[in-house]
Amino acid sequence: MKISVALLWITGLAEAFLAIPLIGGGFVISTGYTALGVMFVLHAITLFFCFREYSPKSGSILGIITSTIAWIPGIGWIFHLITAAVLLITAAISGNRARI
């Protein structure tokens, strides 16, 4: 498995956790919004490996955007949800393509 595919799965699952109503928001607030900074860095690292391994980049780019605007309560939840879906679908498609 490529490193980029593994990172897509990790960031996708982390975004899915942050998209859980009340729990994800409570986690972000309890960390003093540091969780959004950590996710920004993880998405940037994933994007680097996606460029390096010619994997789809849309999920990581969307994740970087999400990390910068997710402090807005309702919009943050929607963006986390969309980003998680894009990342997980991209990881599944990229993982299957790597096996062929």
Side-chain angles (χ1 to χ4, degrees), residues 73-87:
I75 294 173
W77 173 72
I78 292 170
F79 266 79
H80 282 304
L81 195 61
I82 293 169
T83 302
V86 170
L87 284 166

Side-chain angles (χ1 to χ4, degrees), residues 83-94:
T83 302
V86 170
L87 284 166
L88 293 173
I89 291 169
T90 302
I93 291 171
S94 297

